[in-house]
Amino acid sequence: MVGLLISGWLANRIGSPNTVVLGSVFAVLVAFPIFSAVDSKRAVLITLGYVATLGLATIAYGPIGAMFSQLFPTRLRYSGLALAANLAGLIGGFMPALATGLLTRSGNASWGPRHCS
């Protein structure tokens, strides 16, 4: 909730697209430290890592609706967003299977999909 409030404030100051990019960059930057937290198998580190990751990742979600509505002209907005959402669902539906395969090939290391040969 705090991340969404911050993202709304940021979107008003620097614009929705810039806020979405900033939130995405934060999410990528904290992704790698969370792998170490998970691999430590310490509940406190895992919990703190997830809270930080989810908090920073929500910065991108707050203004994303406003940004998406700006991507298409008014007469095409509904069709454009519907097509984009359905294509994303179709493509994204295969990602869990792909990630599971890569995780298996890496010996179940949490950072495994990045290091498969």
Side-chain angles (χ1 to χ4, degrees):
M1 187 170 87
V2 172
L4 291 174
L5 292 172
I6 291 170
S7 69
W9 178 80
L10 273 174
N12 285 336
R13 305 275 292 174
I14 64 173
S16 296
N18 293 333
T19 306
V20 171
V21 169
L22 185 66
S24 299
V25 167
F26 281 146
V28 168
L29 291 177
V30 297
F32 297 103
I34 191 114
F35 293 140
S36 297
V38 169
D39 288 340
S40 75
K41 298 178 182 167
R42 295 178 59 196
V44 173
L45 288 178
I46 294 170
T47 302
L48 288 174
Y50 275 114
V51 168
T53 301
L54 293 175
L56 290 172
T58 58
I59 291 173
Y61 294 133
I64 207 160
M67 187 191 82
F68 281 161
S69 69
Q70 297 168 358
L71 291 176
F72 301 99
T74 305
R75 66 183 186 82
L76 298 174
R77 190 166 293 157
Y78 187 83
S79 298
L81 289 175
L83 181 63
N86 284 294
L87 286 175
L90 181 67
I91 294 166
F94 293 104
M95 290 302 126
L98 179 65
T100 301
L102 292 172
L103 188 65
T104 301
R105 286 189 61 209
S106 72
N108 290 330
S110 62
W111 43 263
R114 181 173 69 107
H115 284 84
C116 285
S117 56

